[in-house]
């Protein structure tokens, strides 16, 4: 039972600590909009989204003002667009994407996710159309985001799909060369994609979800960091020994508080929209703002150079404590819920890449214990598609073997080399381009294609 007075007192305590509701996402099933006529399909999609999401932004603003907690992003996530594209060609896919872009602008939402294909065991006709359309779709629309699930614990890793996607990602970046390849930042490749994720670019509505639902993404790296700093200072002043167990407990307590705030706001938004409340995703999603960084938390935990030995253990402790605190606070925790390490969106992580304290291999190791993966990692534009596919395959393997969600959001920067800094602005931030070693050494492995079989653990039921 939500204790509103208790939560309001928590809100007052957290105003100066970068607490926000990072995303309110309306998830919407649009499978009933399928039609053999592309124009009719797009008309039905437009009507359904406008009917269900037309008031989303105004209601979020009203609820945010009521409690003094800003809702940073308002978003829509649809059921996989690839289902609607079966029987249609690339022209139909582009028309659908343009419709989604237009209706998102009319609804005043920041992004619409769900231009999605699930290909972990094979590629359907609709999924192939969607994948082939991505260079044009993502480079010509502003708000459309895409995701592809290429691996799962039960199916293994679709290497043929990753081989294709390596080429597609390069094509997307160069199709948007005027914007330094930014369009590639709107595509996420997943293993074990969650069906209720409110965060872009990977949000979509899964088959097991209701007709419509409100999913909340609450983020508070600044809250966690401030709590840890207070605890450390208090221990120093009282001359008490402080252990990592004590700090993990502090993270749990702070995560509990933040989750309660998110659920309060999410349920009220859902009630006003006459829509089911879905989940709270307590993911520590950083921003380029100083004081809102996962990297700063790691430094507070004693890792003076992010990427140094101990970084993986520290992120594992943080991720686990966040999940425990959030789960205790709500019976509706879902999505990803943990710690994100998107390099360009976290000024401290980006600086660590620039200082060469954090290299690709160490970053990959850290993704094995965090909630996403190689997120917003800028790579040289000349990186061969096979090498991009191999990087994705490594990340997919971490997810499949460990039965966790992992993903890649790799952004090739056209005509740029490792060490150069690129600034996308806003929440997408800036970062040096990371060095990729042993380029081209995995080509033969990728060209075998096929599917890496599911691991032994997949047989458990």
């Amino acid at each position: 039972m939500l204790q509103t007075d208790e939560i309001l007192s928590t809100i007052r305590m957290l105003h100066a600590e970068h607490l926000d509701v990072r995303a309110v996402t309306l998830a919407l099933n649009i499978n009933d909009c399928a039609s053999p006529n592309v124009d009719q399909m797009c008309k039905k999609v437009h009507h359904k989204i406008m009917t269900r999401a037309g008031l989303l932004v105004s209601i979020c603003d009203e609820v945010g003002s009521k409690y003094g907690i800003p809702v940073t992003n308002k978003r829509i996530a649809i059921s996989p667009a690839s289902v609607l594209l079966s029987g249609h060609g690339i022209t139909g896919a582009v028309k659908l994407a343009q419709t989604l872009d237009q209706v998102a602008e009319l609804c005043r939402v920041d992004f619409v996710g769900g231009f999605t294909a699930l290909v972990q065991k094979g590629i359907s006709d609709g999924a192939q159309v969607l994948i082939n359309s991505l260079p044009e779709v993502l480079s010509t629309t502003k708000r459309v985001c895409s995701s592809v699930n290429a691996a799962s614990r039960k199916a293994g890793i679709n290497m043929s799909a990753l081989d294709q996607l390596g080429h597609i990602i390069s094509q997307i970046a160069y199709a948007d060369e005027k914007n330094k390849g930014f369009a590639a930042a709107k595509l996420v490749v997943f293993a074990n994609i969650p069906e209720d994720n409110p965060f872009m670019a990977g949000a979509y509505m899964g088959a097991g979800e209701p007709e419509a639902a409100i999913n909340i993404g609450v983020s508070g790296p600044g809250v966690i960091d401030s709590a840890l700093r207070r605890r450390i200072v208090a221990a120093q002043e009282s001359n008490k020994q402080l252990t990592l167990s004590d700090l993990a407990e502090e993270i749990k307590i702070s995560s509990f508080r933040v989750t309660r705030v998110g659920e309060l706001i999410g349920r009220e938004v859902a009630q006003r929209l006459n829509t089911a409340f879905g989940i709270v995703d307590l993911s520590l999603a950083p921003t380029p703002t100083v004081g809102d960084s996962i990297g700063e938390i790691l430094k507070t935990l004693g890792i003076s150079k992010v990427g140094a030995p101990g970084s993986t253990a520290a992120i594992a402790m943080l991720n686990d404590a966040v999940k425990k605190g959030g789960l205790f606070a709500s019976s509706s925790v879902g999505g990803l819920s943990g710690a994100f390490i998107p390099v360009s969106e976290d000024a401290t992580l980006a600086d660590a890449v620039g200082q060469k304290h954090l290299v690709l291999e160490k970053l990959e190791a850290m993704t094995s214990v965090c909630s996403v993966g190689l997120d917003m990692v800028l790579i040289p534009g000349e990186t061969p598609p096979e090498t991009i596919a191999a990087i994705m395959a490594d990340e997919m393997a971490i997810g499949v073997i460990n039965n966790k969600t992992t993903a890649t959001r790799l952004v090739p920067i056209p005509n740029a080399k490792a060490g150069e800094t690129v600034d996308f602005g806003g929440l997408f931030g800036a970062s040096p381009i990371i060095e990729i070693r042993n380029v081209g050494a995995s080509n033969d492995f990728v060209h075998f294609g096929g599917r890496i079989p599911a691991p032994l653990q997949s047989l458990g039921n």
Side-chain angles (χ1 to χ4, degrees), residues 81-221:
S82 60
V83 174
L84 299 186
L85 295 176
S86 182
H88 299 294
I90 291 179
T91 301
V94 173
K95 282 188 176 182
L96 176 59
Q98 290 172 342
T99 299
L100 293 172
D101 208 38
Q102 292 162 5
V103 75
E105 182 177 8
L106 289 173
C107 291
R108 296 186 293 129
V109 298
D110 302 282
F111 293 106
V112 54
F115 206 78
T116 296
L118 310 178
V119 301
Q120 60 268 23
K121 205 169 183 178
I123 304 179
S124 68
D125 290 343
Q128 190 65 66
V129 168
L130 184 144
I131 290 171
N132 290 343
S133 74
L134 288 178
E136 183 174 358
V137 163
L138 296 182
S139 64
T140 60
T141 60
K142 293 181 179 179
R143 295 171 176 82
V144 175
C145 292
S146 181
S147 56
V148 177
N149 194 70
S152 73
R153 176 175 178 263
K154 287 290 187 181
I157 304 171
N158 189 339
M159 288 299 298
S160 295
L162 292 181
D163 191 4
Q164 283 192 45
L165 288 166
H167 289 82
I168 290 291
I169 289 170
S170 290
Q171 291 169 23
I172 294 169
Y174 277 94
D176 196 34
E177 187 172 350
K178 66 180 183 299
N179 294 314
K180 304 174 185 176
F182 173 73
K186 297 189 291 177
L187 170 64
V188 186
V189 180
F190 276 99
N192 300 316
I193 189 171
E195 297 189 340
D196 52 9
N197 168 27
F199 287 100
M200 295 297 172
Y204 90 107
M205 184 181 215
E209 296 293 299
E211 182 71 10
I214 289 292
N215 297 321
I216 303 295
V218 183
S219 183

Side-chain angles (χ1 to χ4, degrees), residues 288-307:
T289 304
V290 174
D292 200 27
S293 163
I294 296 295
E296 289 179 31
I297 295 176
L298 297 186
K299 287 191 171 185
T300 299
L301 290 173
I303 307 294
S304 61
K305 297 179 179 179
V306 178

Side-chain angles (χ1 to χ4, degrees), residues 21-94:
V21 173
R22 187 58 51 84
V24 172
T25 300
L26 172 65
L28 187 61
N29 189 314
I30 63 167
N31 289 343
D32 57 343
C33 298
S35 173
N37 181 283
V38 171
D39 292 332
Q40 183 66 19
M41 174 184 70
C42 291
K43 184 177 179 181
K44 292 164 71 174
V45 168
H46 188 283
H47 175 74
K48 185 163 190 176
I49 292 177
M50 284 299 301
T51 301
R52 298 304 295 255
L55 296 176
L56 175 64
V57 171
S58 59
I59 287 176
C60 287
D61 289 342
E62 290 172 9
V63 175
S65 296
K66 176 180 176 180
Y67 293 109
I69 296 291
V71 177
T72 305
N73 295 288
K74 300 88 171 176
R75 299 159 170 176
I76 297 167
I78 61 171
S79 50
S82 60
V83 174
L84 299 186
L85 295 176
S86 182
H88 299 294
I90 291 179
T91 301
V94 173

Side-chain angles (χ1 to χ4, degrees), residues 3-17 19 66-69 223 230 256-258 260-261 264:
Q3 300 295 325
T4 304
D5 291 341
E6 175 186 329
I7 295 170
L8 290 176
S9 67
T10 298
I11 289 173
R12 287 191 291 271
M13 293 170 60
L14 300 181
H15 271 168
E17 298 175 359
L19 176 65
K66 176 180 176 180
Y67 293 109
I69 296 291
V223 176
R230 285 195 300 268
F256 172 89
R257 294 157 63 198
V258 170
R260 299 294 269 180
V261 171
L264 173 69

Side-chain angles (χ1 to χ4, degrees), residues 220-276:
V223 176
I224 301 295
D225 193 41
S226 295
L228 290 172
R229 289 175 184 273
R230 285 195 300 268
R231 185 68 181 270
I232 292 170
V233 169
Q236 291 170 343
E237 290 176 347
S238 61
N239 200 29
K240 289 184 178 180
Q241 178 65 38
L242 195 63
T243 69
L244 290 173
S245 296
D246 298 323
L247 295 176
E249 187 66 21
E250 192 65 39
I251 295 169
K252 284 169 54 181
I253 293 169
S254 298
S255 299
F256 172 89
R257 294 157 63 198
V258 170
T259 303
R260 299 294 269 180
V261 171
E263 182 157 350
L264 173 69
I265 291 176
R267 287 190 181 277
E268 183 155 343
V269 169
Q271 182 182 25
R272 293 195 187 193
L273 279 172
N274 194 29
T275 301

Side-chain angles (χ1 to χ4, degrees), residues 427-458:
L427 290 176
F428 294 98
S431 171
I433 298 170
I434 204 163
E435 179 186 0
I436 298 178
R437 305 175 190 179
N438 302 312
V439 170
S442 312
N443 291 8
D444 290 346
F445 173 72
V446 171
H447 287 157
F448 276 117
R451 184 158 51 91
I452 296 178
L456 182 63
Q457 301 95 299
S458 68

